[in-house]
Amino acid sequence: EFMLTATDEELKKVLGMTLRKERTMLRVTMKDKMAQFARETDPAQIAEADKQKLLEAANDAAAQIKALRKEVLDEEAVKKSHIKQAMKQDSYMFGGNEGLGCVLFKDAEGNVIFKRVLPCDGSISEGDVLLKVERTSVQGKSLVEVMHLLTS
């Protein structure tokens, strides 16, 4: 506070500043620093800054949720299209780029048969009959029910 209230003569004597320009620059700098300190320590300013940060974080979270929701909806749309295909054509495309990929269909006797099997580890071949998923028999189940067993 002394720096702001001291006269030119006092500053000259205490600090040894002989040029008026130096003393004026010192006062301006000190006023700016004090104003900055007041802003940074003002509870209302701090609360406003915190509120802005919280709002930005909430907006970021909302954008991430929206993107995840879109991904889920896209996956659900693909599943629904496969279900419709299974109900129309009595065949179901299963899998994708990793793991097992194949088309399932039911033959005249109601057996679920693998057709167009993508290479996996060689344990399943085209024409193999699917008997169980986990420990659940697929005998007598519709292709849609089998699809639900495979995807759950």
Side-chain angles (χ1 to χ4, degrees):
E1 241 181 88
F2 169 76
M3 299 287 194
L4 297 175
T5 58
T7 65
D8 272 349
E9 289 303 314
E10 290 172 327
L11 285 176
K12 196 188 286 184
K13 194 186 297 180
V14 172
L15 299 175
M17 295 181 145
T18 55
L19 297 176
R20 183 177 181 85
K21 184 178 178 181
E22 289 177 328
R23 295 187 300 265
T24 304
M25 281 182 62
L26 177 64
R27 281 194 177 102
V28 169
T29 302
M30 292 302 294
K31 282 182 183 176
D32 289 346
K33 292 290 181 187
M34 288 182 71
Q36 179 183 354
F37 178 76
R39 281 191 306 272
E40 290 174 355
T41 57
D42 179 29
Q45 292 283 343
I46 293 171
E48 184 61 31
D50 288 346
K51 182 179 169 184
Q52 286 299 322
K53 288 177 187 174
L54 188 59
L55 185 60
E56 288 171 12
N59 285 336
D60 289 346
Q64 290 175 350
I65 290 169
K66 187 176 181 181
L68 288 173
R69 181 168 163 63
K70 184 182 179 329
E71 284 180 31
V72 168
L73 290 175
D74 288 348
E75 287 176 13
E76 287 176 1
V78 168
K79 268 187 186 176
K80 285 179 184 176
S81 71
H82 288 318
I83 291 170
K84 286 179 183 175
Q85 179 185 5
M87 292 191 307
K88 282 182 187 174
Q89 300 174 3
D90 209 21
S91 67
Y92 172 65
M93 182 181 285
F94 177 75
N97 295 335
E98 42 188 69
L100 173 65
C102 64
V103 174
L104 298 175
F105 76 99
K106 287 186 91 169
D107 65 6
E109 290 122 35
N111 295 316
V112 178
I113 304 200
F114 289 94
K115 182 177 171 183
R116 287 188 284 191
V117 177
L118 295 177
C120 52
D121 63 2
S123 60
I124 297 174
S125 302
E126 191 167 320
D128 285 352
V129 176
L130 180 64
L131 301 174
K132 293 181 180 181
V133 176
E134 299 281 327
R135 293 188 177 127
T136 305
S137 172
V138 298
Q139 194 63 33
K141 296 201 180 304
S142 72
L143 202 53
V144 174
E145 291 172 310
V146 172
M147 183 225 33
H148 282 295
L149 288 172
L150 288 168
T151 57
S152 62

